[in-house]
Amino acid sequence: MRRLATSLRTTRSFASVPTTPRIAICGAGVSGLTLAGILSNGTRDIQLTVFERARRDRDQGYGLDLDEHGQEALVRAGVYDRYWDISYPYSDTAVGYQFSGGEPLLNIFWPRLTMRLFPQSSAARPETNRGGLRDILLDALAARGREIARRAEE
């Protein structure tokens, strides 16, 4: 019990010293950069470092569909308006053709259908270029004076 009381007193004494929080994010992929964007998109005084071991020009993979939670994260990161600039309109469209080709038999825009059937749990989820989204987040961080710490090239 005495040890606990001593540690509480020590903790309280350090709590009164104002310090700038130091935050490290490992990985400059879409998730890491979105978190960095959220943390740097405000008046918070923080020391933020994003570490990445890969080159900036590495392949980012395929497209990405963001649900409402991912889109909300981009709003908080301050890049939501640019997200729609790189997204593909009507990428949630399904088209059915005959085996012989020709005119489409069926054309469904999924968000409209799902919004009618499940209005509480559906939203537009356009396909986005993963590399383009990463570039938007990197640009936003650079505009805020944040840098990405990279491993020295081999």
Side-chain angles (χ1 to χ4, degrees), residues 3 14 17-18 24 67 74 77 81 93 114 120 125 127 144:
R3 190 176 288 165
F14 285 118
V17 177
D67 65 3
L74 294 180
D81 56 329
T93 302
T114 57
Q120 299 297 327
R125 296 172 68 166
E127 186 173 334
R144 297 174 193 151

Side-chain angles (χ1 to χ4, degrees), residues 12-115:
R12 285 188 196 135
S13 66
F14 285 118
S16 63
V17 177
T19 59
T20 301
R22 295 173 38 191
I23 299 171
I25 298 172
C26 297
V30 172
S31 297
L33 292 174
T34 301
L35 177 59
I38 291 169
L39 293 174
S40 67
N41 189 27
T43 58
R44 297 178 215 154
D45 186 25
I46 60 172
Q47 183 181 353
L48 178 65
T49 306
V50 180
F51 294 96
E52 177 57 56
R53 67 179 178 175
R55 297 182 326 268
R56 181 179 173 129
D57 62 346
R58 74 178 170 112
D59 183 25
Q60 294 299 311
Y62 296 104
L64 180 68
D65 293 336
L66 293 179
D67 65 3
E68 65 272 9
H69 303 292
Q71 291 178 33
E72 179 184 350
L74 294 180
V75 168
R76 292 179 183 216
V79 297
Y80 189 67
D81 56 329
R82 294 193 57 205
Y83 163 71
W84 287 102
D85 293 341
I86 63 165
S87 296
Y88 302 109
Y90 300 106
S91 60
D92 292 343
T93 302
V95 180
Y97 291 95
Q98 301 176 34
F99 286 114
S100 61
E103 294 295 315
L105 292 175
L106 178 67
N107 190 346
I108 299 174
F109 184 50
W110 286 112
R112 281 195 201 130
L113 177 64
T114 57
M115 288 170 96

Side-chain angles (χ1 to χ4, degrees), residues 27 119 126 134 137:
R134 187 170 180 267
L137 290 161

